Amino acid sequence: MSIRKLYLVTACTAVLSLYSIAATAEEKVTLKLAHNLERTHVVHQAFEQMAKEVQQLSNNKMRIRIYPSSQMGSARESLELLQNGALDLTKGSASDLESFDNVYAIYNLPYLFNDQNHFNKVVFGNVGKEIMSSTKDKGFFAISAYVAGTRSFYAKKPILKPEDLKGLKIRVQASPTTLKMVELMGGAPTPISFGEVYTAMQQGVVDGAENNVPSWVQTRHIEIANVLSEDEHTAIPDFLVISTKSWDKLTPQQKDILVQAARNSEIHQQKLWQKVDSDLRAQAKAMGATIVSVDKAPFRAAVKPLYDEFTKNDKQAELLTKFEMAGSQ
């Protein structure tokens, strides 16, 4: 081979090598996921499992960097960052998401589900997936959903009937439906960021809150409000939400990997939830706190106007019918 030919071959090889390195670099992607939950929360643990699976399935070409504990702000602030393209992924409950698209309002209706089986058929079934994918034009959509138990009131005293809420300031998520629900029940709804609730209760800014048993215990709210009245007014799912801009930048293969890992994280989270709910109920009892049973009929009657208002909209009424049909299947 002549020196000229050798030079050309070497030059071409170098160019191809540089192109290959550049292509490999372009294939690598790191997605930022921020949320307002502590590292001990089962949804965070499900996200960690998902991040590991994404890395494995992509041969280390995809990574998810997680920022828990409100490092990038409240749930609302994280969703705003995501809409603006400054964040790739976040956790949003249906209460958080209602303010960004009214399609999620239905999940905040009290006493919506007959039981856990009905919840699963809706949230993880066709109608749930329809809702999750419906907001792409708003700059975000959900790729997986997570159980979050049932939400009940907790305070320093039992709340056995709606009249017991009279004069009580109750911390709620900033959901229009939840605000109206507490008003109809007789309480004074007070929207406060999740991370500020302990201090707010300690200082008397609010008299109580509403959440599931694990959150009541893990946040140490139980230390101040040691009576949980299990009226189980709502069962509001959490969602893993992705920015539409971030999604559109991914290759088809990257999208498949992310969705597969996200769906697997749903199953992992449900198993974790069952165990933590059982364990923390036992822990609450050991701490001397009280979980009391409640007759739900008066609470259901109090919130009937919410359903009357909700079904005035034909589209919402149709969606509610789909939820009811899923429960009867």
Side-chain angles (χ1 to χ4, degrees):
M1 182 182 292
S2 68
I3 292 176
R4 187 170 182 275
K5 282 185 178 180
L6 181 60
Y7 173 80
L8 286 171
V9 169
T10 303
C12 287
T13 302
V15 169
L16 287 171
S17 177
L18 285 171
Y19 177 82
S20 176
I21 291 169
T24 302
E26 286 174 0
E27 288 172 7
K28 289 187 176 180
V29 62
T30 298
L31 300 173
K32 292 181 291 185
L33 192 172
H35 64 78
N36 63 341
L37 302 173
E38 298 301 321
R39 294 177 188 274
T40 53
H41 198 285
V42 293
V43 171
H44 174 77
Q45 292 170 22
F47 288 159
E48 287 186 323
Q49 176 69 22
M50 177 185 68
K52 288 177 185 176
E53 188 170 352
V54 162
Q55 193 170 340
Q56 290 168 355
L57 291 173
S58 67
N59 293 320
N60 294 319
K61 290 180 181 178
M62 285 183 74
R63 291 176 181 267
I64 297 177
R65 186 172 294 146
I66 306 174
Y67 301 87
S69 308
S70 302
Q71 289 181 37
M72 291 195 180
S74 65
R76 182 177 183 85
E77 288 166 339
S78 294
L79 282 161
E80 288 171 348
L81 286 172
L82 185 138
Q83 275 189 312
N84 295 330
L87 184 65
D88 303 301
L89 297 153
T90 191
K91 188 278 298 180
S93 75
S95 293
D96 302 321
L97 294 167
E98 179 184 352
S99 300
F100 291 82
D101 195 293
N102 198 49
V103 71
Y104 281 96
I106 190 168
Y107 282 121
N108 297 304
L109 286 174
Y111 306 107
L112 179 65
F113 300 108
N114 302 328
D115 50 33
Q116 187 63 45
N117 186 48
H118 184 194
F119 175 96
N120 291 342
K121 284 182 176 179
V122 169
V123 175
F124 302 107
N126 291 333
V127 63
K129 290 186 173 73
E130 178 185 320
I131 291 172
M132 288 166 64
S133 62
S134 68
T135 60
K136 290 183 179 180
D137 62 335
K138 298 290 179 71
F140 70 92
F141 65 99
I143 57 175
S144 54
Y146 306 95
V147 301
T150 54
R151 299 176 75 94
S152 297
F153 294 110
Y154 51 83
K156 293 179 180 179
K157 66 173 188 176
I159 298 168
L160 303 179
K161 53 189 183 300
E163 289 79 8
D164 293 334
L165 283 165
K166 188 174 181 180
L168 294 185
K169 298 186 293 292
I170 302 295
R171 181 268 171 180
V172 294
Q173 294 168 296
S175 150
T177 305
T178 306
L179 289 165
K180 187 64 177 175
M181 176 193 76
V182 174
E183 284 178 3
L184 288 169
M185 289 179 177
T190 309
I192 292 176
S193 176
F194 185 65
E196 298 172 8
V197 180
Y198 185 92
T199 303
M201 289 200 300
Q202 198 174 39
Q203 296 176 349
V205 175
V206 294
D207 302 300
E210 52 86 46
N211 215 318
N212 53 60
V213 171
S215 291
W216 174 50
V217 178
Q218 288 178 326
T219 55
R220 294 171 39 235
H221 295 174
I222 191 173
E223 296 174 359
I224 304 168
N226 66 345
V227 182
L228 185 140
S229 304
E230 203 158 24
D231 66 297
E232 298 183 308
H233 46 261
T234 50
I236 301 174
D238 284 326
F239 296 92
L240 175 61
V241 178
I242 188 168
S243 159
T244 305
K245 291 179 182 177
S246 299
W247 176 260
D248 290 342
K249 291 176 184 176
L250 299 177
T251 67
Q253 184 182 16
Q254 289 168 340
K255 290 175 181 177
D256 288 344
I257 287 171
L258 180 59
V259 169
Q260 181 181 334
R263 294 287 164 81
N264 287 342
S265 75
E266 291 177 338
I267 299 167
H268 183 60
Q269 188 264 344
Q270 288 172 49
K271 292 176 182 176
L272 293 173
W273 181 266
Q274 289 171 2
K275 185 176 188 308
V276 78
D277 184 68
S278 175
D279 290 349
L280 291 178
R281 282 174 183 272
Q283 185 178 327
K285 186 177 179 181
M287 292 172 70
T290 307
I291 299 176
V292 296
S293 298
V294 174
D295 178 8
K296 298 173 187 175
F299 290 93
R300 288 179 187 273
V303 298
K304 186 178 180 298
L306 269 177
Y307 281 84
D308 296 338
E309 186 65 30
F310 190 83
T311 52
K312 284 181 181 178
N313 181 299
D314 291 341
K315 194 172 182 180
Q316 290 178 327
E318 182 184 346
L319 189 58
L320 183 59
T321 300
K322 289 181 180 180
F323 274 48
E324 292 168 347
M325 287 176 63
S328 62
Q329 290 171 357

